[in-house]
Amino acid sequence: MEVPASLISKVHSSFSDGLHFAAPLPSLSTSEIELVKGALHICQGFSSDLFYWDHIGQSFRVKTGIYVSHLTRTSLYGILDQFTYAATCLKLVEILVNKIHKSARSPPPTLRAFACSVSAWLKKLRDVALREEENISTGDGKMIATLLGLSSSLSSLCSGAEYLLQIVHEAVPGAYFEPNSYIAAADVAVYILNQLYRKLDEVCLVQGGEEDAYRMLLYIFTGSLLPYVEGLDSWLFEGTLDDPFEEEDLHISEFLPFEKNSTLPSRILSWMQSAEPKVTPLPVVILQECLIAYIKKQADYIGRIILSKLLYDWRLLDELEVLRAIYLLGSGDLLQHFLVVIFNKLDKGESLDDDFELNTILQESIRNSADGSLLSTPDSLVVSITKNSDLSEDEQHGASIQISTPRKSRLQTMGIDVLQSLNFTYKVSWPLELLANVEALKKYNQVMIFLLKVKRAKFVLDKARRWMWKDRSTATTTRKRHWLLEQKLLHFVNAFHQYVMDRVYHSAWRELCEGVAAARSLDEVIEVHESYLLSIQRQCFVVPDKLWALIASRINNILGLALDFYSIQQTLSSGGAVSAIKTRCEMEVDRIERQFDECIAFLLRILSFKLNVGQFPHLADLVTRINYNYFYMSDSGSLMTTSGSDVITSR
């Protein structure tokens, strides 16, 4: 009768480890010293006659049936299990580390550093077994090696092996080894460092002989963090300072004292890996005191080098002066032709809706200007047309609270706010984009548009005066009234324009130069430039603030009144002989004069308010220019009407 194979397998498996109470085979007998040596071998990653690596089960196993005469089978295997388990943990760590190093795709820096740190700690644990084996081999025979003694001397190895395997399994994302998966290097780095940081945070307060786990984690964490610090070196040294492209042509070693990977944080991390800490500080303390403080010092040092290059090699102030010449209209010659052409187009009622035409006029203006050399190329400055929806919130707010005008002349359809649609963009040379970025150019553009409105008002009033000068033979009361109104409008525009040139163009620029000269880092220069932008925005009343929007709306309205007055003089000079036209024009003059007086009264009340003057001294300067010789307001703060007979006390 044939016995089923499955039954044979069951019987064999039942007795494969030997019968508990049967006499063992003499050939399986061994000595305790041999078992000690075998255990030390597997803890170092090697198989022996008594222990072997099971490739299928992925573990170290004891040779079947071995025994020693003075220990029971249960006692023997209970002792050996702790060695085989520790050796298995170390072997699995070794396999995983080799898998990382030999993977088809090159491991990202943080994962590679993690593997190297784990491999170094693996060697450190196995060296414990190596030293124990050397002690046994070189002993004089007086000390007998036993399994129980080995269990005591390898206790740190056994506990460390299990914890090391746990760290490796938890810190490396499992999906990384899947053949069809892709995980970005940044994601791998964040995952590894987060896991290590959390584990380190868990064990930092342990006591009672478990400090080895903390030291292991600290070693692996600092080693895995090194690529981040080296990456900082690379960004600062090779990325920022090095030149990858070889630009009405200098080697880093010529101007940097450090070489790659020689920064203080890198050296501190390396020291922490080899030091034996007396305490177990929190990981946040390690990062703050040992890394971040020195990284900040390094960043400040690099910042000073960048600042030096910005000021001297890349000529920062020269580039900022170009922005000043363009956006603050410092170079009257640079945009003179462009402004005259577009102002005349607007006077004729033509719209500004052709980008190509505007840029053609702009390039011609730059080429024919004596200051054209300020720009590297004429096309580095371009102008575009934006829609009203692109206005900022405060500009829209200012537009919504402007004094309404009951009548709309032909010129008003191309009124003062049509310039709001212009957007000038200057191509700042690298690396000065660190300061003059997109947001900064937007602020520059807001100031420029406001100054263009002042320019246009002055332009049309000058033209109106020329027409009035031609008609000076008719010295009637009406004509004198027109002259007086024109002078009041022109005085306001000229006073405001002179205020802008003194306060915005000269004073603010001097403060910027002084701030840059006193700066000690790139961050400080950026702060100085931001303060400069805020200063010129505030002095041109385009800063995002409700009070400033109210002031800007009245100024904007007066500039619009200048255009209305110009339109009236244009009408009178062309067809003013008709009585009905003259009557309508006089009604418009009444409206312009009335609204001008209202705006002036409002502005002087707000601008001369003691609290505002105390906060912003430049307002007092503007009041002095507008109220020259106390024409509108007395020294005591009383507003006077046009005739001078009535007095209104200002609050």
Side-chain angles (χ1 to χ4, degrees), residues 127-241:
D127 283 346
V128 174
L130 176 61
R131 288 193 297 271
E132 189 67 20
E133 184 181 16
E134 290 174 348
N135 291 335
I136 294 174
S137 301
T138 59
D140 54 4
K142 295 180 179 179
M143 184 178 69
I144 301 175
T146 63
L147 291 174
L148 290 177
L150 185 65
S151 177
S152 176
S153 59
L154 295 188
S155 60
S156 62
L157 182 149
C158 293
S159 60
E162 182 180 13
Y163 196 66
L164 182 61
L165 180 62
Q166 180 184 348
I167 292 173
V168 172
H169 274 307
E170 292 182 2
V172 180
Y176 177 80
F177 298 105
E178 295 178 4
N180 298 324
S181 67
Y182 171 75
I183 305 179
D187 293 334
V188 173
V190 169
Y191 186 90
I192 291 174
L193 294 178
N194 281 350
Q195 292 294 330
L196 292 176
Y197 187 91
R198 279 195 286 266
K199 294 289 289 185
L200 191 60
D201 206 33
E202 291 173 3
V203 302
C204 64
L205 300 179
V206 298
Q207 294 179 356
E210 296 187 23
E211 291 82 0
D212 285 345
Y214 176 86
R215 284 193 286 267
M216 178 195 300
L217 269 170
L218 180 63
Y219 182 91
I220 297 173
F221 177 68
T222 53
S224 303
L225 195 60
L226 270 172
Y228 256 37
V229 180
E230 293 169 0
L232 176 64
D233 295 343
S234 178
W235 293 335
L236 293 177
F237 287 88
E238 298 177 5
T240 304
L241 294 182

Side-chain angles (χ1 to χ4, degrees), residues 54 71 99 185 232 316 322 341 346 349-350 359 391 572 577:
D54 182 1
L71 290 175
K99 192 175 182 181
L232 176 64
L316 170 64
V322 173
V341 172
L346 293 175
E350 300 177 14
N359 279 287
L391 299 180
L572 291 174

Side-chain angles (χ1 to χ4, degrees), residues 615-632:
Q615 290 178 337
F616 309 108
H618 65 277
L619 296 182
D621 182 40
L622 181 57
V623 170
T624 301
R625 294 176 186 274
I626 295 175
N627 193 40
Y628 185 73
N629 252 356
Y630 301 106
F631 184 80
Y632 298 106

Side-chain angles (χ1 to χ4, degrees), residues 361-517:
I361 300 171
L362 179 61
Q363 304 312 317
E364 183 181 358
S365 179
I366 295 173
R367 282 193 296 269
N368 295 333
S369 169
D371 294 332
S373 58
L374 287 174
L375 277 65
S376 56
T377 58
D379 59 353
S380 59
L381 177 65
V382 296
V383 60
S384 58
I385 305 297
T386 59
K387 304 299 181 184
N388 288 335
S389 58
D390 293 338
L391 299 180
S392 65
E393 292 182 5
D394 33 289
E395 289 167 346
Q396 293 174 357
H397 176 72
S400 67
I401 59 177
Q402 290 179 10
I403 300 174
S404 61
T405 304
R407 300 186 181 183
K408 298 291 182 181
S409 65
R410 174 180 62 84
L411 185 63
Q412 279 183 302
T413 59
M414 295 298 162
I416 201 72
D417 285 328
V418 73
L419 296 172
Q420 206 81 41
S421 63
L422 297 180
N423 182 62
F424 293 85
T425 304
Y426 176 67
K427 185 180 179 182
V428 183
S429 59
W430 183 90
L432 302 179
E433 296 166 335
L434 292 170
L435 275 78
N437 53 25
V438 175
E439 190 61 31
L441 291 182
K442 180 181 178 181
K443 295 176 182 178
Y444 272 114
N445 207 74
Q446 290 174 345
V447 174
M448 183 181 186
I449 295 303
F450 187 81
L451 298 181
L452 287 182
K453 293 179 181 180
V454 179
K455 279 275 191 182
R456 188 184 178 201
K458 182 174 173 55
F459 177 82
V460 297
L461 287 175
D462 288 340
K463 289 183 69 175
R465 183 166 47 171
R466 286 196 294 271
W467 287 330
M468 296 170 66
W469 185 256
K470 292 178 182 178
D471 198 27
R472 66 185 182 279
S473 58
T474 58
T476 63
T477 303
T478 301
R479 182 58 58 187
K480 290 180 180 178
R481 181 187 175 201
H482 287 200
W483 274 104
L484 179 60
L485 179 56
E486 188 269 345
Q487 285 298 309
K488 289 165 69 175
L489 288 167
L490 187 61
H491 167 74
F492 177 86
V493 172
N494 282 337
F496 196 84
H497 181 262
Q498 193 59 46
Y499 154 81
V500 167
M501 295 306 293
D502 288 347
R503 299 293 306 188
V504 177
Y505 189 74
H506 294 294
S507 299
W509 174 256
R510 184 176 64 251
E511 293 171 2
L512 172 67
C513 293
E514 292 172 355
V516 170

